[in-house]
Amino acid sequence: MEPPNHQGAAADATTTKRPKPPPLPLATRLQLAGLSVAIDAVERPDGTVNRCLYSVIDRVLSARASPCPDASGVRSFDVTMDASRGIWARVFAPSASAAPDGRPLPVIVYYHGGGFVLFSPAVGPFNGVCRRLCAAVGAVVVSVNYRLAPEHRCPAAYDDGVDALRFLDAHGGVPGLDAASGVAVDLANCFLAGESTGGNIVHHVANRWAAEWQASAAHLRVAGIFPVQPYFGGEERTASELRLEGLAPVVNLKRSDFSWKAFLPAGADRDHPAAHVTDENAGIAEAFPPAMVVIGGFDPLIDWQRRYVDVLRRKGKEVEVAEFPDAFHGFYGFPELADAAKVLQDMKAFVDSHRAPTF
């Protein structure tokens, strides 16, 4: 196969009219600006993270678990999965009245974004997304805290993601939820979701689970996945990356390159299979689950995401696409945006259509 034509992509991008950024509420623009400043402040040029400064930002942005139901009837609590590795999860559970038909609730295991190097399930935007996901879908959401790079490089995040599923399978449910709590879960209807780098983790965890663990699992079945604006890449600079450079919020080439350098094994380039899963190096397991891939038209990574959809289809896998033409990278973390509510409706429809019958 011929190497990518980098100059050709650059030429195409320079001859394509630069899009006009979609209008955003002032509050959203301010939050995005603050997020960009925080990211650039903690990511050092040498590929490391200023953890001292990051810990301060993390404390400011983080929310505590809340065992009391909020206005939508969702409560949250934390569960330790592996204290030796710092793996824990924040569980978001609806009230018992969320399942009036008496059926056990599906489980959504969630992996947060942050370029593989930042954040946790407690950080405000991810805490909020999982609350809204729980309420909108009518599912128990288990948001996993995995180890961060560059201190823990690839495949640490994938190992932790798989081990979270093994933990749930070994327990036969979600610790803290049982008959006494009024919320029963159905691990045979487990879905994986995550945005950005979390979407990348969703793909790799689902693939490894399908290839290595699904056949022997006692309780947990991955019924479907939601890679939301998944973070893929390669040495090539795609037309969308070049066209939206400097226009789209949060994601740019500098930050993307930092994340891959911090996460990938030392000496690996961006064509490593962890990043570049959009070609024949994407070894897709036979039992890979159905997918709903969410993409945004104002996301610099859209070309990589469309290639990912294409490779899944070429491999004969079931895949749906939910595309939002004006959406920037991370849009569904902002509840004031109409698309942030619409994508949750699409996710609920996908869960409803892919749930196995409960007997």
Side-chain angles (χ1 to χ4, degrees):
M1 185 175 66
E2 295 183 358
N5 186 345
H6 297 219
Q7 293 181 341
D12 290 343
T14 56
T15 57
T16 300
K17 184 179 179 181
R18 299 261 282 177
K20 183 179 180 180
L24 295 173
L26 177 60
T28 304
R29 297 202 304 271
L30 291 175
Q31 290 180 72
L32 289 169
L35 177 62
S36 298
V37 169
I39 292 172
D40 291 339
V42 300
E43 293 182 349
R44 297 184 175 122
D46 64 358
T48 62
V49 174
N50 185 335
R51 291 296 177 195
C52 290
L53 178 57
Y54 168 73
S55 66
V56 175
I57 296 173
D58 183 66
R59 283 196 297 271
V60 171
L61 295 179
S62 292
R64 293 181 180 272
S66 178
C68 297
D70 61 12
S72 62
V74 175
R75 60 190 177 91
S76 61
F77 57 91
D78 295 339
V79 172
T80 299
M81 292 182 162
D82 186 340
S84 67
R85 287 185 288 167
I87 305 175
W88 57 275
R90 179 157 293 179
V91 178
F92 299 83
S95 63
S97 61
D101 59 1
R103 296 176 65 191
L105 299 178
V107 175
I108 299 176
V109 179
Y110 192 89
Y111 304 99
H112 66 82
F116 298 107
V117 301
L118 302 174
F119 305 136
S120 79
V123 168
F126 304 120
N127 186 77
V129 161
C130 289
R131 280 188 172 275
R132 294 191 296 275
L133 186 60
C134 173
V137 176
V140 170
V141 179
V142 180
S143 183
V144 178
N145 186 69
Y146 52 86
R147 290 171 294 171
L148 300 176
E151 295 85 355
H152 304 283
R153 293 179 176 270
C154 175
Y158 305 151
D159 292 342
D160 296 351
V162 170
D163 286 347
L165 301 186
R166 295 178 62 198
F167 173 89
L168 296 175
D169 186 58
H171 282 76
V174 178
L177 298 179
D178 52 27
S181 72
V183 178
V185 300
D186 180 11
L187 286 184
N189 284 302
C190 180
F191 296 79
L192 310 185
E195 86 295 323
S196 191
T197 48
N200 176 290
I201 294 170
V202 162
H203 166 79
H204 286 286
V205 168
N207 204 32
R208 284 176 55 176
W209 185 262
E212 302 171 21
W213 297 101
Q214 186 62 83
S216 61
H219 305 282
L220 192 147
R221 164 185 166 267
V222 175
I225 64 172
F226 297 101
V228 180
Q229 297 179 288
Y231 208 85
F232 299 124
E235 285 297 296
E236 176 189 359
R237 301 300 195 189
T238 66
S240 63
E241 287 176 310
L242 295 170
R243 183 177 67 252
L244 294 173
E245 178 70 3
L247 289 178
V250 183
V251 174
N252 59 29
L253 293 174
K254 177 184 175 183
R255 294 179 191 134
S256 290
D257 289 355
F258 176 93
S259 294
W260 292 124
K261 181 180 179 181
F263 177 67
L264 295 175
D269 65 21
R270 296 188 301 274
D271 285 336
H272 186 279
H276 195 63
V277 297
T278 55
D279 214 324
E280 292 309 312
N281 63 343
I284 309 296
E286 184 66 27
F288 192 85
M292 189 184 97
V293 182
V294 178
I295 61 179
F298 209 68
D299 183 353
L301 302 177
I302 187 173
D303 285 351
W304 293 115
Q305 293 154 5
R306 284 175 170 160
R307 293 181 190 185
Y308 174 63
V309 170
D310 180 64
V311 79
L312 290 181
R313 286 174 172 162
R314 286 190 285 113
K315 298 286 187 178
K317 307 308 175 186
E318 180 184 343
V319 57
E320 298 178 18
V321 177
E323 183 167 355
F324 299 85
D326 292 332
F328 57 86
H329 193 83
F331 75 97
Y332 91 143
F334 297 84
E336 63 270 22
L337 303 179
D339 285 343
K342 176 62 168 61
V343 71
L344 295 180
Q345 296 171 11
D346 292 344
M347 294 170 80
K348 175 175 171 50
F350 184 89
V351 168
D352 289 345
S353 66
H354 287 83
R355 288 182 68 179
T358 302
F359 299 99

